[in-house]
Structures are given as C-alpha cells and as structure tokens.
Amino acid sequence: MAEQFLPGAPRPGRPPRPRVRKVAQHDLRDARARLRGTIYEDVTPDVRPREQYSPVQIVDFCLDLAEVMLASGADTRSVETAVVAVSTKWNLAPLDLDLTGSSVTIQYAPADGPALVKFRTVTIDGSDLGRLAWANQIVDDLVHGSRDMTSAVSALVAVLRMPPRWPNWLADVGLAVLGTSIAMQAGGGWRAGLGAFVLMMGIIVSGRWLTGRGFPQFFVSGAQGAVASALGTLAIAAGILGPAGAATMVAALVVLLLPHVSLVTWAQDAISGFRAMAVARAFSILLVIAAIVVGVPAGIALTHWLRIEVDPSGIVLDPLPLWASLSLTVVSAAANCFVQQASARVIPVAVVFSVAAGASLWAMRHLGLPLLGATFLASVLLGVLATIAAARMRTAVGAIAVPAFCGALLPGVAVSNALLNVMSGSSTSALDFVSAVTVALAIGAGLVLGGLFATPGARRALRRARKVVVHSVHSDTTALRVIRDSGYDPGDGSRPRW
C-alpha cells in the first residue's frame, strides 16, 4: 500500500516550496499614498518566486537605514520615503514608521500573525553628506533590483565603517574660508575677511577643546559668541576695524554658529507634516539661538569700559558687485563641500548651482523683492536643480543642495545689521536677529517646493539612467546583524558603487 501524506505536507526528500508573501491591495494603496510625490512613487512589490526575507530581517535593515540617514543629516521625509520604498519592494506591508526626536520605531502588523515592533535610538550629531549619498544609492539599488539583502547589508556595514571623506584639518580650513567669504559678501572688506578667518580658526579649536571636556553645546555656543563680540569691540577700539567691519566679522561667526542645516531640515519637516521631529529639532535649535543671543551682548558688556559708541543709522553695508559676489559664492560652496564631507564629484555641481541661486537672489533683490521673498524664490530654483541633478547622479538631494545654499543664501548681511543694532544698544536688536534667522526657514520652504516641482522630471531621469540591471550573485538570506559592528569587513566588492 502506498504511503499516505497529508494534503499540503512536504514530502520526504523534497525541499519545501518557498512561500511568497502577498501584499493586500489596501496595504499597497497605503504605501503608494505615502510615496506619492517622491521619486519612488512607482515602486511595486517584488513577486518573483524566490526565497523571501523574513520580517525581522527587513525591519532590522529598515531601522539601520533610518539610523544612518538621520545621523547623516537627512530630513524626515527622505528617511520615510527610503524605508517605505524598501519595505514595499520586499513585500512587507502594512509597515508603520514613527520618528520622534532621537528614536525610530517600526511596527509590522500583518493580518494573519502577531505584530512585530522594533525600536532604535538615534544620535543626530551633524551631517555627513558623503555617507548620506552612499545610503541613498543603496536604496536606489534595492528598489531597482540591483541588490539583494546580503549585498545591501554588506554595503551598509561598509558605509558605517567608512572613515570621513576629508581629513579634519581640511574641514576646519574650509569652515574658516567659509567665514571669510561670508564676512566679505556682507561688505566687510578684506580686513574683516582676514579677521573672520583667524577668529574662526580660534573658535574651532576652542570649541573642540570645550566639547571634548564634556561642556554642553549651549555653553560652548554662548562662550564663542561672547568671545567673538568682545574681540570685535576690541578691534574697533584699536582702530583695526570700523564698526561695519567688526559687525561683519562677528556676523560670519554667528551665521556659522547657527545650526543652518538643522534650521533648513526643521523647516522641511514642519512643512512636510512630521511635527514630532520638527518639535524635537526646534527645541535644540532654540537652545543654540538663545545661547548666541545671550553670549553676543555679554561679550560686548565685558568691554563696556572702552565706552565705544556705535550709531548704526550712519553705517551702510555696501553690497559687492555681482562678479565679486559670485566669485565668493564659488569659494563658499566649494569650502562647504569639505566641511560637510561631500564627495568630490558633487563639488562642481554644487558650485554651479550655488552660483545660479546667488545670481537669482541678486537679480530679485535688485527688482525690489524683500530678502525673505527673494531667498524663498532662489531656494525654489535651487530645489528644482538639485532634485533633477541628484536623480541623474544617483545621489541624495541634500548632498547637492546643502553646500549650494550655504554658499549663496546664508543671511550674512541681515545678521550684520542685527549685530550693529546690538552694539548700539537698540531695543529692537533681538527682534532683528530673529528676523535674520527666519531667512533660513525660507530656504527650507523653498527647497521643499522646488523638490515637489522637479520630482516628475527626476523620476523620468532615474528611469532613463537604469538601463542595465546587474543582479547580485548572493542568495544567502540568513539573519545578519547590521548596525552593531560584528567585525565583518567586506572585501568582495560589496561597497556602494558610484
């Protein structure tokens, strides 16, 4: 009598057929709604009959990806887009993503099984545009089928172990050069520019020393603002600089002390509807601004015995001619690429776009538009250009946009005027400073709107660029630990490809 087998039970000697996880139509509609308006709007689940990755693997990878992107300076909308696109491609829906301050929570709640919830604490400590670009390329490879799980994990580990793109001394010099350029663009002249370079180098060294000894950023920023304003007052008393030159020199430091990248990212999060992240970013930003607002007058008060009287009504900060302003814009954008650890191939693109944004800002200001409106429109143009170029170059939009707006759109003149009012003891000086800071918010709003305008063209450019698909030779889908360093050093060509 032939041996009987239960229906659906695997026969001896025959490997079980891999199950293909299905995505319900309502879950797929929800994922597409969250991707609407992004370059991954058309992503579809991969239903090829192959070994499926487990939900734990996918959720772990998505947590790792979110941590890398947030720590590298990405806005929340970009992080959500990357996570939802990857999870949709790997047939994992519904997936709930919650980003609140310094934590990321992902929940996978299938209809036919228990819910899976995982949590990760994220330390947001600045920006690394090179690492952000590499993470963006990993996502692009996954969405378009050029990587499997094993290859993607190896590439992400390689990104985490990657040393800084540029050495610290070069980034420090770049920041000092950026301060020089801001002071001269504000009309301070070569003396103010030279003073800004020396002041910035001293502030960088002292700030690193204080931070290394455990002082919070609030006290470090306040002390730096106090020292800068005191030195500016002493320069006036010694006859080295006039009030306008001293104001532009100190303004360059204040502009760079402001967390301008975080300000722009905060505006992007608030406009895109990520209120929890916007509130968390706003709290840290307000602390830094408060430290500067307190520190600058404190430094001036320390030198009250000099009895220097400054009348800002008689001081005019003459704007530079267009050729000089654009030349300094080139220097600023290139220097900021080294400061933000951008890749070498991004530098010429960021410089060209920075010149375009600076020229448009100059033209609109000469047409009579106020600074806030002109900065917003110039940022819209920059957002359009950066979004399309990022899709063609397969890099992150921020890797191009951040150096470009730092080179052309930072409010050096507005901050200089506010500092002149502080020196004269004007009662409206604090309001003038806050008004100058709002220019950074206009930059964030313009980049968001420009990105929305350019996304359809960026999707078409991305499809044209994906003509050759190379599938990974890896097929191992066993669970791998990603973020926590396991000692794995990939040497098999699995690093992200440019």
Side-chain angles (χ1 to χ4, degrees):
M1 182 177 178
E3 188 176 358
Q4 299 293 323
F5 297 98
L6 294 175
R11 296 177 180 270
R14 180 182 299 177
R17 182 174 300 174
R19 295 182 57 190
V20 177
R21 190 168 46 244
K22 299 290 186 179
V23 177
Q25 284 301 314
H26 61 86
D27 294 331
L28 184 57
R29 285 195 298 269
D30 176 69
R32 286 177 174 169
R34 297 169 73 179
L35 293 173
R36 186 173 297 122
T38 71
I39 60 173
Y40 299 130
E41 185 178 69
D42 301 325
V43 65
T44 56
D46 189 351
V47 295
R48 289 179 296 174
R50 56 168 172 76
E51 184 76 19
Q52 292 291 304
Y53 311 127
S54 71
V56 174
Q57 288 177 273
I58 300 174
V59 170
D60 281 341
F61 181 84
C62 289
L63 280 172
D64 299 336
L65 180 64
E67 180 175 357
V68 171
M69 294 184 70
L70 284 175
S72 301
D75 63 285
T76 311
R77 176 60 169 164
S78 300
V79 177
E80 184 193 56
T81 298
V83 170
V84 174
V86 169
S87 62
T88 302
K89 182 69 175 180
W90 285 342
N91 306 298
L92 198 69
L95 191 75
D96 294 323
L97 176 66
D98 183 29
L99 297 100
T100 54
S102 59
S103 65
V104 180
T105 304
I106 294 181
Q107 173 181 272
Y108 170 58
D112 56 349
L116 172 64
V117 182
K118 287 211 166 189
F119 170 88
R120 180 70 55 80
T121 300
V122 180
T123 302
I124 303 175
D125 55 356
S127 61
D128 188 327
L129 300 182
R131 188 167 58 177
L132 179 61
W134 284 44
N136 184 86
Q137 187 178 356
I138 293 173
V139 174
D140 185 63
D141 287 341
L142 288 172
V143 170
H144 293 91
S146 299
R147 287 189 184 274
D148 60 7
M149 170 70 80
T150 304
S151 176
V153 167
S154 299
L156 196 57
V157 170
V159 170
L160 291 170
R161 297 165 65 98
M162 182 177 61
R165 181 66 180 83
W166 307 106
N168 286 336
W169 67 267
L170 186 57
D172 293 345
V173 172
L175 189 60
V177 169
L178 182 58
T180 300
S181 179
I182 292 174
M184 296 182 68
Q185 282 179 313
W190 68 268
R191 288 187 178 181
L194 181 59
F197 183 89
V198 176
L199 184 61
M200 281 303 306
M201 290 303 296
I203 289 298
I204 291 169
V205 174
S206 61
R208 186 174 292 134
W209 184 84
L210 290 172
T211 304
R213 276 151 184 78
F215 285 88
Q217 188 61 41
F218 174 83
F219 296 111
V220 174
S221 299
Q224 289 172 331
V227 170
S229 59
L231 290 177
T233 306
L234 292 174
I236 296 175
I240 301 174
L241 293 173
T248 56
M249 180 185 73
V250 179
L253 171 74
V254 171
V255 168
L256 296 181
L257 281 180
L258 287 172
H260 43 269
V261 177
S262 297
L263 276 166
V264 172
T265 306
W266 171 80
Q268 291 174 315
D269 289 348
I271 293 170
S272 301
F274 297 96
R275 297 178 181 85
M277 284 294 293
V279 169
R281 292 185 195 271
F283 186 75
S284 60
I285 291 170
L286 286 175
L287 281 178
V288 175
I289 293 176
I292 297 172
V293 170
V294 172
V296 171
I300 296 176
L302 290 174
T303 57
H304 69 282
W305 51 273
L306 294 173
R307 301 189 180 280
I308 296 175
E309 301 242 347
V310 176
D311 182 13
S313 61
I315 298 175
V316 178
L317 294 173
D318 295 324
L320 295 176
L322 180 60
W323 68 268
S325 178
L326 294 183
S327 299
L328 289 173
T329 296
V330 171
V331 174
S332 299
N336 199 60
C337 286
F338 296 107
V339 175
Q340 303 288 343
Q341 300 294 329
S343 61
R345 72 189 186 115
V346 165
I347 295 178
V349 180
V351 167
V352 170
F353 289 174
S354 184
V355 170
S360 63
L361 178 64
W362 181 89
M364 286 182 284
R365 290 289 287 159
H366 278 72
L367 290 176
L369 268 70
L371 177 62
L372 195 65
T375 303
F376 172 75
L377 293 178
S379 301
V380 172
L381 173 64
L382 179 58
V384 171
L385 296 175
T387 301
I388 295 177
R392 290 181 176 274
M393 297 176 66
R394 298 185 59 213
T395 188
V397 176
I400 299 174
V402 170
F405 81 70
C406 287
L409 304 178
L410 291 182
V413 175
V415 174
S416 299
N417 287 323
L419 287 174
L420 285 172
N421 290 330
V422 172
M423 291 179 182
S424 65
S426 173
S427 58
T428 63
S429 57
L431 184 61
D432 294 335
F433 183 76
V434 173
S435 176
V437 171
T438 58
V439 174
L441 307 183
I443 297 174
L447 291 178
V448 171
L449 186 59
L452 292 175
F453 286 154
T455 296
R459 278 199 300 268
R460 290 191 294 270
L462 189 61
R463 283 196 295 265
R464 286 195 295 267
R466 305 294 310 197
K467 293 181 179 180
V468 179
V469 177
V470 180
H471 293 284
S472 173
V473 298
H474 299 286
S475 60
D476 180 20
T477 58
T478 56
L480 294 173
R481 299 181 66 186
V482 182
I483 284 292
R484 309 305 170 219
D485 190 358
S486 60
Y488 177 67
D489 186 13
D492 54 359
S494 60
R495 295 174 67 90
R497 303 179 299 278
W498 285 112

